[in-house]
Amino acid sequence: MPGKTREDSQRTRDTILDAAEQVILCRRMGRTTMADIAHAANVSRGAVYGHYKNKIDLSIAMCERAFASMEIPVRTEGESALQTLYREGIYLLRLYSEPGPVQRVLHILYLKCDESEDHIALLDIRNEWEAQRMADTEELIIEAVANAELPQTTDIKLANLYLHSLVDGIYSTLFCTNRVPEHKWEIAEKLYQAGFAGLKTLKN
């Protein structure tokens, strides 16, 4: 009987990681065991341990797979910093709102992962995610100010925080509550467009 191929191993890993996302979302990180994940993936515990040494190792792989699937918008030729900033905000809103690995992993990192010593590696991933997003947008805001797309008096740090708060607030209001039962994405874009204009008012 032929042995397992790389493709077989990858399929098993994907099945395990798919199951981990679902189980941790339901049970929280602290209450999930490797046995729970094996059961949900319909594989043996030995199969899970054959790929991942423990739950944290598995969870790190789960996060890495999700973030590797992201397709950050590429800046097009001739596009201004402010235009790129706008597109990236819309992209993040879609990323947060559409079901998929990134949405599930972010929910886990922010809502299902306790701030305990056991989860330091995962909290570091969360902090790195935040830091990278903030760094990317701050760079664009600085460029927009330099190119006179935003006022010279713009408070860079405040504008950056405002922009991320805008995305987080729209997502929370539209996709985590029942305030808007339909046409959520159309409303999300209108809210973001209106809020984005507020960047020009954030002065030192």
Side-chain angles (χ1 to χ4, degrees):
M1 184 176 179
K4 275 194 171 185
T5 65
R6 286 185 182 179
E7 290 77 13
D8 291 333
S9 294
Q10 186 59 54
R11 275 194 293 271
T12 300
R13 283 193 293 271
D14 284 336
T15 297
I16 292 168
L17 296 179
D18 289 343
E21 288 176 3
Q22 300 296 339
V23 174
I24 297 169
L25 273 175
C26 290
R27 296 179 59 87
R28 300 186 67 85
M29 183 67 69
R31 295 179 182 175
T32 298
T33 66
M34 294 286 266
D36 294 329
I37 295 169
H39 178 75
N42 198 28
V43 300
S44 68
R45 279 185 292 179
V48 177
Y49 279 107
H51 291 284
Y52 306 105
K53 61 184 179 182
N54 53 44
K55 183 176 66 176
I56 298 302
D57 184 49
L58 187 158
S59 298
I60 290 171
M62 176 186 73
C63 294
E64 289 175 344
R65 182 184 71 157
F67 292 146
S69 72
M70 291 173 54
E71 296 180 0
I72 299 293
V74 177
R75 188 171 181 177
T76 59
E77 187 176 352
E79 185 175 59
S80 72
L82 206 58
Q83 288 170 330
T84 304
L85 201 59
Y86 182 87
R87 280 203 308 117
E88 286 193 2
I90 291 291
Y91 171 75
L92 286 176
L93 265 176
R94 282 199 178 277
L95 195 67
Y96 297 163
S97 62
E98 294 178 353
V102 176
Q103 186 198 65
R104 289 191 289 271
V105 162
L106 289 174
H107 275 208
I108 288 168
L109 290 176
Y110 282 92
L111 302 174
K112 304 292 183 176
C113 185
D114 301 325
E115 297 202 13
S116 68
E117 207 169 301
D118 292 341
H119 301 152
I120 286 176
L122 298 175
L123 297 174
D124 284 346
I125 290 174
R126 187 180 77 184
N127 292 339
E128 287 170 14
W129 157 264
E130 285 185 5
Q132 187 60 58
R133 301 283 73 74
M134 293 289 285
D136 290 346
T137 50
E138 181 171 310
E139 185 177 330
L140 287 167
I141 292 170
I142 290 171
E143 184 181 340
V145 171
N147 293 337
E149 295 179 88
L150 291 174
Q152 294 296 311
T153 54
T154 297
D155 185 324
I156 303 294
K157 298 293 183 185
L158 185 61
N160 199 20
L161 181 61
Y162 168 80
L163 194 61
H164 287 272
S165 298
L166 177 64
V167 171
D168 293 345
I170 293 171
Y171 168 71
S172 298
T173 298
L174 296 186
F175 299 99
C176 299
T177 74
N178 293 318
R179 293 173 190 162
V180 182
E182 56 186 15
H183 307 300
K184 290 177 183 282
W185 184 246
E186 292 175 25
I187 293 171
E189 285 190 295
K190 289 178 181 178
L191 286 173
Y192 184 73
Q193 186 174 25
F196 191 81
L199 274 177
K200 296 184 178 181
T201 68
L202 299 170
K203 301 176 182 179
N204 286 312

